[in-house]
Amino acid sequence: MTYLGAEIGKLGFGMMRLPKNDDVIDIEQVKTMVDAFMEAGFTYFDTAWAYSGSEVAVREALVKRYPRERFQLATKNAAWIDCKTREDAIAQFDNSLRQLGTEYIDFYLLHNLGAMRTEYFDRFGLWDFVQEQKKKGLIKHVGASFHSTAAELDAILSAHPELEFVQLQVNYADWDSPSIQSGACYDVARKHGKPIVIMEPVKGGMLAKPPEPVADILQKANPQASNASWAIRYAASLEGIITVLSGMSTLEQMHDNLSYMKNFSPLSATELATIREAQEALSRIPIIPCTICDYCAKVCPSNIGISGSFTAMNLLTLYKAKDFAANQESWLVEKHGKKKAGECIQCGKCEEVCPQHIAIREELQKVSEQFG
């Protein structure tokens, strides 16, 4: 089936986690990685105004060194970051063009739609703005990246059928997740006929080192395959995919990805069965059985970020990555206008309405012990 981006290689270079020396992006190493990527026949590069230093690195390592027609460049507008006016939001687009050193952007995304963030794009009239830039030839294709519920994605795509593609967090661990809703969001995008760019196929690196029961299943099935390869090939095997972004930070990661994606073949029926076994192993690891229904939020007098706290705690339980889980706790709680678990007054109203009968007060104490 022909769709936007069907001819693009199924591995994309996500340029958010570029290699650094003393917190400064290592341009020379990025050049080496870009060269290896291009030599393998891949052409899609994903950056964003909000990725500090990334657009400039892309200019130096890619735009200045290769003919413009040889690659596709994606960047993003995050109108919800430090924008007080429409002019502030529009300036992000102008800054991206300047920092990238390019006359046009192939894939321009309204960044991280969902929850309270969508309202900024509405308020500043960016839906019309990006279409105006497309008519001028400054943007080739307009899309959106998204982190929220399937129901909200359905509403956005219904309201804005002009979006040509969506970028979604999709991986085998989050496929049935009540918080990430990878599978449900994928289904919504497909229902609306939108091709998909996949982000976080390795879940921020977590699936490169999955829980031991999962790693054992994958290694038994194919001792030569890296854990990351299973995750990326799973995502790339889905239908309607433009490309799968891998946020590569080292040349070693680049070479590993190229080794199995250069001559990509979708997962076989046997390999898909292995993934299902891995998913079942994940589901058996005891975590807080929160379904993110947020009935508790409706009755909490202290505005505690209960479901966000539990999502972060479950990440810590599954992947043992404290920094990653702490970042998620900060994002899902405080940056969503909620209060931390330690501010719970122990009234118990949440437990009265929880359909999963979770001992919420006890679990919040555990969260507070881990994340403060």
Side-chain angles (χ1 to χ4, degrees), residues 29-48:
Q29 185 172 347
V30 176
K31 288 179 181 178
T32 302
M33 295 171 72
V34 165
D35 290 346
F37 189 75
M38 293 286 283
E39 287 168 11
F42 295 105
T43 57
Y44 191 100
F45 295 83
D46 173 89
T47 182

Side-chain angles (χ1 to χ4, degrees), residues 77 234 237:
N77 186 297
Y234 170 81
S237 297

Side-chain angles (χ1 to χ4, degrees), residues 63-349:
V63 178
K64 284 186 175 182
R65 300 173 63 242
Y66 286 90
R68 185 61 182 86
E69 66 275 10
R70 283 194 58 191
F71 57 87
Q72 298 86 35
L73 198 52
T75 194
K76 312 177 187 76
N77 186 297
W80 42 275
I81 298 179
D82 298 330
C83 290
K84 295 182 173 59
T85 66
R86 172 181 167 86
E87 288 69 30
D88 291 339
I90 289 173
Q92 284 192 23
F93 176 74
D94 295 331
N95 287 338
S96 286
L97 285 175
R98 184 181 68 256
Q99 292 182 154
L100 289 166
T102 185
E103 294 181 353
Y104 66 91
I105 295 165
D106 300 278
F107 291 81
Y108 195 67
L109 297 89
L110 302 183
H111 187 33
N112 201 1
L113 295 184
M116 75 290 189
R117 300 176 297 282
T118 305
E119 189 270 335
Y120 286 87
F121 299 97
D122 297 339
R123 187 197 314 169
F124 297 145
L126 289 196
W127 301 99
D128 292 334
F129 172 76
V130 293
Q131 293 303 319
E132 292 165 4
Q133 306 318 302
K134 183 180 177 184
K135 288 178 182 177
K136 294 176 183 177
L138 300 179
I139 295 172
K140 300 300 183 184
H141 304 289
V142 175
S145 63
F146 181 81
H147 287 280
S148 195
T149 66
E152 189 171 3
L153 179 61
D154 192 26
I156 289 172
L157 293 180
S158 295
H160 295 285
E162 72 274 16
L163 286 174
E164 297 172 81
F165 68 100
V166 291
Q167 185 163 307
L168 302 174
Q169 177 171 330
V170 176
N171 57 68
Y172 70 79
D174 291 329
W175 189 256
D176 294 314
S177 164
S179 56
I180 306 300
Q181 300 187 15
S182 281
C185 286
Y186 170 83
D187 289 341
V188 166
R190 295 289 290 161
K191 181 185 78 171
H192 285 270
K194 306 300 180 185
I196 300 160
V197 173
I198 289 180
M199 57 182 161
E200 303 294 352
V202 194
K203 198 173 174 64
M206 297 299 100
L207 297 180
K209 296 180 180 179
E212 187 174 344
V214 174
D216 289 345
I217 290 167
L218 301 181
Q219 289 301 302
K220 181 179 179 181
N222 186 348
Q224 282 72 50
S226 67
N227 293 323
S229 73
W230 284 96
I232 291 177
R233 288 185 62 224
Y234 170 81
S237 297
L238 295 167
E239 295 182 355
I241 302 303
I242 296 174
T243 197
V244 178
L245 301 176
S246 179
M248 294 169 276
S249 302
T250 67
L251 193 57
E252 179 183 11
Q253 291 171 351
M254 174 67 74
H255 287 319
D256 180 52
N257 285 343
L258 295 179
S259 71
Y260 53 83
M261 290 301 290
K262 186 174 181 178
N263 298 305
F264 168 70
S265 60
L267 293 178
S268 67
T270 300
E271 289 172 320
L272 284 171
T274 297
I275 290 291
R276 286 193 291 273
E277 187 180 355
Q279 290 171 321
E280 290 168 2
L282 271 175
S283 71
R284 289 193 293 270
I285 297 174
I287 58 175
I288 304 168
C290 176
T291 62
I292 326 294
C293 69
D294 276 338
Y295 291 156
C296 55
K298 294 179 174 63
V299 301
C300 177
S302 299
N303 192 34
I304 304 298
I306 299 172
S307 62
S309 295
F310 289 171
T311 296
M313 191 67 178
N314 286 341
L315 285 171
L316 180 60
T317 299
L318 287 168
Y319 302 105
K320 316 299 182 188
K322 183 67 175 285
D323 289 346
F324 181 84
N327 286 336
Q328 288 298 298
E329 190 265 349
S330 175
W331 167 249
L332 294 170
V333 179
E334 294 167 287
K335 292 183 180 177
H336 276 68
K338 299 289 185 178
K339 292 184 178 179
K340 291 175 70 68
E343 297 184 63
C344 171
I345 61 174
Q346 298 286 306
C347 68
K349 291 183 179 179

